[in-house]
Amino acid sequence: MGLELYLDLLSQPCRAVYIFAKKNGIPFELRAVELLKGQHLSDAFAQVNPLKKVPALKDGDFTLTESVAILLYLTRKYEVPDHWYPQDLQARARVDEYLAWQHTTLRRNCLRALWHKVMLPVFLGEPVSPQMLAATLAELDETLQLLEDQFLQNKAFLAGPHISLADLVAVTELMHPVGAGCQIFEGRPKLAAWQQRVVAAVGEELFREAHEVILKARDSPPADPIIKQKLMPGVLAMIR
Amino acid sequence: MGLELYLDLLSQPCRAVYIFAKKNGIPFELRAVELLKGHASKEFFQVNSLQRVPALKDGDFILTESTAILIYLSCKCQTADHWYPADLQARAHIHEYLGWHADCIRGTFGVPLWIRVLAPLIGTQVPEEKVDRNRTAMDRALQQLEDKFLGDMAFLVGQQVTLADLMALEELIQPVAVGYDVFEGRQRLAAWRGRVEAFLGAKLCQEAHGLILTILAQEAKKTLPVPPPEAYLGMLRHISRIP
């Protein structure tokens, strides 16, 4: 059994892993784990990841979770082009810096934007107060400003002149609020131009393929009550 | 000018960087940053407009984020392999831990200091429901730390000390410092702590932990710096964002 990737393209980190593997021609079996059906909570999946989260990787007997760990593992094992995670110490440190920063900032705020604006009300039938939504979108706005001012600045890509893991992780995260209908690039020409460069570097077709699911998030049919009950505790913990 | 490290030993990730540099004999200038004084220094602002610690300055090169700093130092200074092994799977496990740490440990274990010391210092209180949620979150994280990462190994991702152990230890020390002993009733974790501290050495631990472990005493004697009014807004916002 070769490399297996347990993914749901609804999830931001899964999209980054998917695009990276495809772009670099890394052969893998896609094991779909449907989050909205609660499949990540199954006993079968717990055998793969007892923490019940995607993405997960299985390479023979070796199992790995956490998207940044997976991306770095694939980078090293498959000897992808240097620009993804440069050998140059300082260039690489810039990528590490972004990958460390994004967990509690961009990732968290993009997730909350999607769930507060769309998934909680539409999929789970849980209304979100206008104040809560406004606060979430304000935080997202702040984070986008930091992304532009502290990381992108006047560079072509987040960590330098070439696309890296940092850009892939960031762009897939930004598609969460885009999928929720937030006009995040409006009034942000620098960020919009960067996004277009990243899409061009990844390839438009691959980018579109990876984002089909999230772009249909607003059309999610309401969850049935049993599923809703199963998912609620995890969702609430996730968007805390 | 050689390597400069901008650190406040009240901060968990700062201590991890400090300990790593000291243990590995990496020469550096310590630029002490006092978070409680509200980052007044203009010099610091120029270094790190994000106003965050830790920060590293290596000539013209400026770097933030403790994980990035630790990896940079381990590679640049060619520290012993066990800290950040070259082995593909071992290194992957460190990043796996650090990913989970960012979600489940970072942010969570710093809250007790805010509850017990920092909020009262500016005349406010963290709401009871947040205190309860934080306890629950810490308990859950500690269980996962013990079961998934430590298991029956000597250290978090294997049989030797790695960057993961440093990052984890410094986070867990934070609540201990304000009287919430996360190691009580958790023998495996307590034993792990003992092993990590034995490896680092008592002298280095005392040096790195001295400030945080005396925070309650300082508070009692009223020798803690009072944050300037400009710092209040940021601190209040931090408190409002505690889940």
PDB file of all heavy atoms in Angstrom, chain B residues 29 48 110 117 147 152 214:
ATOM      1  N   GLU B  29      23.303  38.299  22.699  1.00  0.00           N
ATOM      2  CA  GLU B  29      23.021  39.440  23.576  1.00  0.00           C
ATOM      3  C   GLU B  29      21.557  39.325  23.975  1.00  0.00           C
ATOM      4  O   GLU B  29      20.695  39.242  23.094  1.00  0.00           O
ATOM      5  CB  GLU B  29      23.183  40.755  22.806  1.00  0.00           C
ATOM      6  CG  GLU B  29      24.592  41.121  22.414  1.00  0.00           C
ATOM      7  CD  GLU B  29      25.333  41.805  23.561  1.00  0.00           C
ATOM      8  OE1 GLU B  29      24.662  42.240  24.534  1.00  0.00           O
ATOM      9  OE2 GLU B  29      26.572  41.894  23.471  1.00  0.00           O
ATOM     10  N   ASN B  48      10.633  44.821  15.832  1.00  0.00           N
ATOM     11  CA  ASN B  48       9.486  43.932  15.667  1.00  0.00           C
ATOM     12  C   ASN B  48       8.206  44.731  15.780  1.00  0.00           C
ATOM     13  O   ASN B  48       7.670  44.903  16.863  1.00  0.00           O
ATOM     14  CB  ASN B  48       9.558  42.847  16.744  1.00  0.00           C
ATOM     15  CG  ASN B  48       8.360  41.952  16.729  1.00  0.00           C
ATOM     16  OD1 ASN B  48       7.530  42.012  15.835  1.00  0.00           O
ATOM     17  ND2 ASN B  48       8.250  41.115  17.738  1.00  0.00           N
ATOM     18  N   GLY B 110      -1.584  29.762  28.982  1.00  0.00           N
ATOM     19  CA  GLY B 110      -1.206  31.103  29.432  1.00  0.00           C
ATOM     20  C   GLY B 110      -2.323  31.787  30.201  1.00  0.00           C
ATOM     21  O   GLY B 110      -2.113  32.760  30.917  1.00  0.00           O
ATOM     22  N   VAL B 117      -3.175  36.911  37.906  1.00  0.00           N
ATOM     23  CA  VAL B 117      -2.282  38.063  38.116  1.00  0.00           C
ATOM     24  C   VAL B 117      -2.569  39.245  37.182  1.00  0.00           C
ATOM     25  O   VAL B 117      -2.742  40.368  37.644  1.00  0.00           O
ATOM     26  CB  VAL B 117      -0.801  37.643  37.938  1.00  0.00           C
ATOM     27  CG1 VAL B 117       0.130  38.846  38.049  1.00  0.00           C
ATOM     28  CG2 VAL B 117      -0.409  36.591  38.963  1.00  0.00           C
ATOM     29  N   ASP B 147      -1.448  10.836  26.590  1.00  0.00           N
ATOM     30  CA  ASP B 147      -1.834   9.626  25.866  1.00  0.00           C
ATOM     31  C   ASP B 147      -1.252   9.579  24.468  1.00  0.00           C
ATOM     32  O   ASP B 147      -0.711   8.551  24.062  1.00  0.00           O
ATOM     33  CB  ASP B 147      -3.366   9.522  25.775  1.00  0.00           C
ATOM     34  CG  ASP B 147      -4.007   9.331  27.139  1.00  0.00           C
ATOM     35  OD1 ASP B 147      -3.277   8.917  28.076  1.00  0.00           O
ATOM     36  OD2 ASP B 147      -5.209   9.599  27.274  1.00  0.00           O
ATOM     37  N   ASP B 152       4.283   5.837  26.519  1.00  0.00           N
ATOM     38  CA  ASP B 152       5.235   5.313  27.497  1.00  0.00           C
ATOM     39  C   ASP B 152       6.676   5.599  27.066  1.00  0.00           C
ATOM     40  O   ASP B 152       7.609   4.895  27.436  1.00  0.00           O
ATOM     41  CB  ASP B 152       5.009   3.815  27.756  1.00  0.00           C
ATOM     42  CG  ASP B 152       4.834   3.061  26.464  1.00  0.00           C
ATOM     43  OD1 ASP B 152       5.271   3.579  25.408  1.00  0.00           O
ATOM     44  OD2 ASP B 152       4.248   1.967  26.491  1.00  0.00           O
ATOM     45  N   THR B 214       8.370  33.145  40.664  1.00  0.00           N
ATOM     46  CA  THR B 214       8.229  34.055  41.807  1.00  0.00           C
ATOM     47  C   THR B 214       7.161  35.124  41.552  1.00  0.00           C
ATOM     48  O   THR B 214       7.063  36.113  42.281  1.00  0.00           O
ATOM     49  CB  THR B 214       9.565  34.759  42.130  1.00  0.00           C
ATOM     50  OG1 THR B 214      10.030  35.417  40.940  1.00  0.00           O
ATOM     51  CG2 THR B 214      10.609  33.776  42.620  1.00  0.00           C
TER      52      THR B 214
END
